[in-house]
Amino acid sequence: MSGTVKRVPSIWTTGSTDILNTGTWRSAIAVHEKRPAPCYGVCPVDGDIPVWVQQVRNEKFKEAWQTLVENNPIPAAIGRTCHRPCEGACNRTDFDGAVSINALEQYIGDMAIQEGWAFPAPSVELDQKVAVIGGGPAGLSCAYQLRRKGIQVTLFDANPELGGVLRYGVPEYRLPKKMVAAETQRIVDLGVEVVTGRKLTGADVEELERDYSAIFIAFGAHEPKRLSQFSKNDKRALDGIAFLRSVRLDAPAELGRKVVVIGGGSVAMDVAGSALRLGRQTEILALEGREVMPAPEDEIEDVIEEGALLIDGAMVKTVEDVSGRLLLHCIKVELDQNVLPGIIRPIEIAGTEFILEADTVILAVGQDPELTDWKDRVQVAKGMVKIDEDYRTSHAGIFAAGDVASTERFVSTAIGDGKRAANCIARHLGQLVVVEDAAVETKEVTFEDINTFYFPNQEPGERDKVDADVRIAGFAEIRLGLSDEQALNQAKRCFSCGSCVECDNCSIFCPDMAIIKDADAPLYYKVLEQYCKGCGCCLEECPRGAMGVKEEKK
Amino acid sequence: MGYEINEEKVFNSGHAACPGCSEALALRFILNTLGKDAIAVVPPSCIAIISGPQPLSSMSIPVYQTTLEASAASAAGIKRALISKGNNHTNVVAIAGDGGTYDIGFQALSAAAERNEDIIYICLDNEGYMNTGTQKSSATPSMAFTTSTPAGKLSPKKNVPEIMVAHNIPYMATATTGYPDDLARKVKRAMEIKGGLRFINILTPCLAGWGIPDSAGPKTSRLAVQSGMYPLYEVENGESYTLNYGPNGLSVADYVTTQKRYRHLLAEDIELIQAEVDHSWERLQKKF
């Protein structure tokens, strides 16, 4: 050895591992994606519920309203009258109770009225004109959506005021008139020409076709169904919707001392509630058992609290007129399970006969559309205007939706149909309408997709209800809107299924630092493909199922 | 979440940890909280592999790879050298596995604790010699399968956290990767308390060794806490106990049934572990 010393370098490290491409290890990569929430899947207006609830949570109230009115121009009204399929589908239901979505909708709808928020004017004005016949939920929704696209709209209604069933059906104590007036006015202010007090019929079609490129009929269903046991001329046997209308016009029809309401739907409950407020002893006779009555459970509960007697699973067989009073000979029934859906066949239970006495009977057993004036213009099937999947009737250029063409008699269904019909009409007029349907692209978020570790139990909270003895004294609204605090608490309960809220979990739990926040990324984060090893921790730790996996073939 | 990502990125991508590795995740939280004014001492372990194939390193700080029995002694020596050079600020952190802490490096650790050396010692505890093929260590819990305990380990896990408390060191904490904010806060607390040995035991589920899916590391670590197997707590000066996260009603069965290393257990075995966990929890609770 000639005295040479081998020098050991003091630093051996020449660089960072970040030049190593560990992305080659994986066979699948996680992707951020917006997935449909179950509430969205069942919403009749296709409302983007997780998005606007999140905006409420962030106290971006006006943005929440703007998201809401994309699909539903009257949230204050629907926030009081919707049958709430969203709450039934809510992933939180089996955890600690559904989010009170409907109450939140009312909260935002009321705030918009109070703050005077208006719809922005259409960005274009087109020459095309559409006649909308019927100023109820379907007509209002369609007129609104057409105007937003710049199409000229004339809205015809037979009544002096707009709102349809919301104005002339649903009682004041469930939906104050002033809310309907404010929300319909807001639509009118978008530049809708309104012709009230004019009832159009099939005979007007030629005239309309001269001035308008398309006609939309949505005048509802106003022909009450009758029971053969009651004579049409008997003043003691009223029709439910006519009675509700008389109450709404502040000229209630005359009632005897004791009222029997026949029916098990929302109209029957509204009739019973109104009769109670007019000081009448009220009984309700429903064909279905309470669990399967068409009226929502809370509406049934309301009238029972207010003093109505509910006799469910029973029907009237014969009626006897005894010194001015009606004696209803009734019998308990059960419903035949072996029939097609939509058909109701009661089976009498022998030996359960009973008698109800009534001074007035109010029939609330459904309505049909009045189509006598229209049936030589448009094809009618099963008592309704026949439409195809694009809301087209048999007459070219005439479209229809709402109760006039559907057996799904819900106000929010009518709003949704009005919106979709407007898109079809716009397409018919040559407009390009692109409808994004998230549901067809990605799988709906289920409860199993939710990482419940990140969601502590929080009791559900509904709108406070006025005490029954107070509410029975008049027609004042019975449910108090949520307070600011209640609304925020409710919004915080939302899992935001499938909608990223930028919680950073995906990024925090990545052992490879392969997910970074990126303001330019469509869903806030970028996956660094050169590093991602495909472990799936981000997917597992996403609290709300807003990520998916993309298989990679190499 | 209280944890905020430190953009300084002391721990870098491209490292050689398995996909979903909890140790890599723990290193991320530890190193990014420590910052660049730190020197790491690493004995043979997965951590040595993760820190990088020479000449590359995943850690943007000096790392000294020492022998398996000498982590605490090496760290203490480096710290004393720094102080003698007038550097009182640089944190010296030994990061060792449970084999290098509970078994082979234990003498050096106990001695350093007894001398109250001014270092942070972090044990990444995956309950076995996972790097060499899943052999049993004294951190392996009762009845868990390893290749050297094929019928399940017969003795319970050594309680090193309490042994370290018994050295009356200024800070001892247990942490795990499912609670990043808690983990990062404990590293920060260890940095604040200077002038003595600070020890943090971090439970880091080993995906291969425990038999869990690649994505299940954080989730399994939370189950350990929620079932009472591994309560998160901290102790200052050997006597002041604080509970951070304890059992929340989940049972040992909820924890062990998700892991293949417990696959051979019978219902009565799980009951025995449950009894052991209940007993330990009862004893620990008296200290808060």
Side-chain angles (χ1 to χ4, degrees):
Chain A
M1 300 293 278
S2 60
T4 50
V5 177
K6 193 180 175 193
R7 283 191 169 273
V8 177
S10 61
I11 296 173
W12 289 27
T13 307
T14 56
S16 161
T17 50
D18 62 10
I19 59 165
L20 299 177
N21 188 357
T22 52
T24 53
W25 299 13
R26 67 170 182 266
S27 59
I29 190 167
V31 286
H32 292 84
E33 61 184 16
K34 185 171 169 174
R35 291 172 59 196
C39 52
Y40 166 84
V42 297
C43 178
V45 307
D46 322 309
D48 213 340
I49 297 166
V51 171
W52 66 257
V53 174
Q54 190 186 330
Q55 287 162 332
V56 175
R57 183 166 58 217
N58 297 338
E59 302 188 40
K60 302 239 189 294
F61 300 118
K62 188 158 187 188
E63 286 176 24
W65 178 74
Q66 284 161 340
T67 307
L68 256 171
V69 300
E70 276 292 306
N71 300 300
N72 165 23
I74 52 169
I78 299 301
R80 291 170 164 86
T81 53
C82 188
H83 59 297
R84 308 188 249 176
C86 51
E87 295 182 17
C90 179
N91 272 335
R92 197 135 189 157
T93 306
D94 295 330
F95 185 60
D96 58 4
V99 176
S100 301
I101 300 166
N102 191 248
L104 275 175
E105 180 173 9
Q106 176 188 340
Y107 176 78
I108 293 298
D110 288 358
M111 183 183 287
I113 292 173
Q114 201 171 355
E115 300 288 326
W117 292 335
F119 297 130
S123 52
V124 287
E125 285 295 350
L126 305 170
D127 295 333
Q128 288 146 324
K129 290 176 74 180
V130 174
V132 174
I133 304 173
L140 286 167
S141 170
C142 182
Y144 162 75
Q145 297 289 356
L146 290 170
R147 268 310 287 146
R148 291 175 81 203
K149 299 181 205 306
I151 294 166
Q152 310 304 320
V153 178
T154 308
L155 182 57
F156 296 92
D157 197 284
N159 285 310
E161 283 178 51
L162 294 176
V165 67
L166 301 171
R167 174 65 184 82
Y168 295 102
V170 181
E172 180 76 12
Y173 63 85
R174 283 184 53 210
L175 173 58
K177 271 185 258 204
K178 60 172 194 226
M179 298 297 173
V180 181
E183 290 199 314
T184 52
Q185 187 58 44
R186 197 166 56 205
I187 296 172
V188 173
D189 290 343
L190 203 48
V192 175
E193 189 190 347
V194 177
V195 180
T196 49
R198 182 159 173 214
K199 187 179 178 188
L200 294 174
T201 67
D204 299 304
V205 166
E206 267 87 34
E207 193 197 325
L208 289 173
E209 281 178 333
R210 270 200 299 279
D211 297 332
Y212 298 95
S213 319
I215 300 168
F216 177 63
I217 52 180
F219 47 74
H222 299 287
E223 185 68 32
K225 288 187 178 149
R226 297 285 297 189
L227 295 177
S228 57
Q229 297 89 323
F230 300 94
S231 144
K232 198 156 190 179
N233 303 318
D234 191 338
K235 287 213 163 77
R236 293 166 301 180
L238 306 174
D239 293 315
I241 52 159
F243 168 68
L244 289 178
R245 183 183 172 87
S246 73
V247 175
R248 267 301 209 180
L249 293 171
D250 299 321
E254 270 188 45
L255 303 177
R257 196 179 56 78
K258 189 187 160 200
V259 174
V260 172
V261 181
I262 300 179
S266 277
V267 173
M269 299 308 124
D270 288 348
V271 166
S274 300
L276 286 162
R277 281 165 176 76
L278 295 168
R280 300 309 194 275
Q281 185 192 345
T282 305
E283 289 171 2
I284 304 167
L285 187 72
L287 189 61
E288 304 89 352
R290 179 160 172 177
E291 321 73 58
V292 292
M293 277 166 60
E297 176 56 31
D298 56 346
E299 292 179 21
I300 303 174
E301 195 183 286
D302 284 349
V303 289
I304 291 177
E305 278 173 9
E306 288 162 8
L309 177 72
L310 172 68
I311 303 157
D312 61 341
M315 67 174 193
V316 181
K317 285 188 79 176
T318 55
V319 179
E320 201 182 341
D321 196 338
V322 178
S323 54
R325 289 200 104 185
L326 294 169
L327 287 192
L328 314 182
H329 293 267
C330 306
I331 187 162
K332 286 281 204 181
V333 295
E334 52 191 26
L335 300 184
D336 190 351
Q337 303 297 319
N338 306 315
V339 289
L340 293 170
I343 294 173
I344 295 173
R345 188 187 297 147
I347 303 167
E348 296 179 10
I349 305 171
T352 60
E353 293 83 359
F354 63 99
I355 294 172
L356 287 182
E357 288 181 41
D359 299 305
T360 304
V361 170
I362 307 181
L363 298 169
V365 291
Q367 300 87 238
D368 294 317
E370 271 179 282
L371 295 172
T372 345
D373 298 335
W374 282 91
K375 57 178 180 247
D376 46 353
R377 290 286 169 186
V378 292
Q379 197 186 335
V380 171
K382 293 178 188 159
M384 294 177 296
V385 174
K386 191 170 181 233
I387 52 170
D388 65 10
E389 67 273 19
D390 288 329
Y391 301 91
R392 286 182 294 220
T393 67
S394 59
H395 187 114
I398 301 186
F399 296 73
D403 287 0
V404 81
S406 168
T407 49
E408 264 199 77
R409 301 284 165 80
F410 298 112
V411 281
S412 30
T413 309
I415 298 282
D417 282 338
K419 176 189 81 164
R420 289 180 285 267
N423 287 339
C424 295
I425 293 169
R427 269 192 217 108
H428 170 76
L429 300 179
Q431 305 298 320
L432 180 69
V433 181
V434 183
V435 181
E436 281 180 37
D437 188 358
V440 297
E441 288 157 20
T442 48
K443 235 178 97 247
E444 194 167 278
V445 178
T446 63
F447 183 64
E448 283 65 43
D449 297 324
I450 302 294
N451 190 331
T452 53
F453 173 74
Y454 296 103
F455 300 101
N457 270 68
Q458 253 178 306
E459 287 303 302
E462 247 303 336
R463 285 165 278 216
D464 292 329
K465 214 155 57 160
V466 178
D467 287 340
D469 52 339
V470 177
R471 40 183 217 253
I472 198 77
F475 280 82
E477 197 168 14
I478 64 174
R479 277 190 174 71
L480 307 173
L482 298 180
S483 67
D484 297 346
E485 194 195 341
Q486 286 174 316
L488 283 176
N489 282 342
Q490 224 26 245
K492 281 180 196 152
R493 292 183 71 240
C494 179
F495 285 153
S496 299
C497 304
S499 286
C500 179
V501 306
E502 298 182 70
C503 74
D504 292 344
N505 261 12
C506 55
S507 175
I508 288 171
F509 283 101
C510 179
D512 296 289
M513 287 71 72
I515 298 183
I516 57 165
K517 204 142 200 180
D518 182 353
D520 296 329
L523 288 167
Y524 316 114
Y525 299 93
K526 193 164 116 187
V527 180
L528 301 176
E529 301 199 2
Q530 70 268 37
Y531 299 133
C532 171
K533 293 173 184 165
C535 67
C537 282
C538 48
L539 197 78
E540 181 68 40
E541 294 306 314
C542 175
R544 43 189 52 84
M547 295 190 79
V549 181
K550 197 172 77 191
E551 297 280 336
E552 288 182 324
K553 290 203 177 84
K554 286 186 176 128
Chain B
M1 306 293 299
Y3 176 75
E4 285 190 9
I5 296 171
N6 185 339
E7 295 300 342
E8 199 176 14
K9 273 191 81 171
V10 181
F11 187 52
N12 293 288
S13 304
H15 58 71
C18 302
C21 176
S22 296
E23 281 200 357
L25 194 57
L27 285 171
R28 175 184 178 182
F29 301 145
I30 295 163
L31 295 173
N32 290 352
T33 306
L34 278 170
K36 287 199 170 159
D37 188 14
I39 295 174
V41 175
V42 176
S45 58
C46 282
I47 307 141
I49 306 294
I50 298 166
S51 67
Q54 285 290 359
L56 302 176
S57 172
S58 63
M59 304 179 183
S60 306
I61 52 170
V63 180
Y64 174 51
Q65 295 202 354
T66 186
T67 57
L68 191 45
E69 57 275 71
S71 311
S74 302
I78 291 171
K79 182 67 189 181
R80 286 180 180 228
L82 287 172
I83 290 171
S84 67
K85 286 174 74 182
N87 175 344
N88 288 317
H89 50 83
T90 300
N91 284 300
V92 180
V93 187
I95 310 175
D98 53 280
T101 303
Y102 285 57
D103 299 344
I104 303 171
F106 188 68
Q107 179 278 134
L109 171 61
S110 179
E114 187 271 329
R115 296 191 307 273
N116 206 18
E117 295 285 348
D118 187 11
I119 59 168
I120 299 174
Y121 190 108
I122 295 176
C123 173
L124 298 188
D125 173 10
N126 56 21
E127 304 190 327
Y129 289 85
M130 301 308 177
N131 186 33
T132 51
T134 319
Q135 290 82 21
K136 164 246 163 189
S137 81
S138 58
T140 305
S142 290
M143 298 191 204
F145 163 90
T146 66
T147 53
S148 48
T149 55
K153 189 179 175 236
L154 301 176
S155 52
K157 177 173 180 147
K158 190 197 277 183
N159 196 342
V160 164
E162 285 304 305
I163 294 170
M164 295 313 294
V165 170
H167 285 76
N168 291 325
I169 51 174
Y171 189 66
M172 194 299 295
T174 63
T176 186
T177 43
Y179 299 79
D181 45 350
D182 179 74
L183 195 164
R185 184 184 60 74
K186 284 168 178 170
V187 174
K188 215 170 207 124
R189 181 71 189 135
M191 291 162 68
E192 284 164 11
I193 300 172
K194 292 187 188 300
L197 192 140
R198 294 139 279 165
F199 178 86
I200 305 177
N201 194 84
I202 301 180
L203 186 73
T204 50
C206 178
L207 312 169
W210 294 17
I212 53 173
D214 287 358
S215 61
K219 186 173 149 188
T220 307
S221 103
R222 285 193 300 265
L223 284 173
V225 175
Q226 293 172 324
S227 65
M229 291 286 284
Y230 188 80
L232 300 186
Y233 66 106
E234 54 200 319
V235 187
E236 295 197 2
N237 303 315
E239 56 187 5
S240 171
Y241 279 72
T242 309
L243 176 69
N244 311 115
Y245 295 94
N248 76 343
L250 294 190
S251 67
V252 164
D254 294 316
Y255 176 63
V256 298
T257 50
T258 62
Q259 303 172 38
K260 286 191 191 149
R261 63 172 171 161
Y262 288 116
R263 192 161 49 176
H264 58 286
L265 294 193
L266 305 170
E268 52 262 41
D269 297 333
I270 296 176
E271 271 173 44
L272 284 175
I273 303 177
Q274 182 72 58
E276 193 187 285
V277 166
D278 291 345
H279 181 63
S280 306
W281 173 236
E282 220 168 274
R283 264 178 34 176
L284 182 62
Q285 262 183 309
K286 289 184 189 142
K287 301 182 177 177
F288 296 118

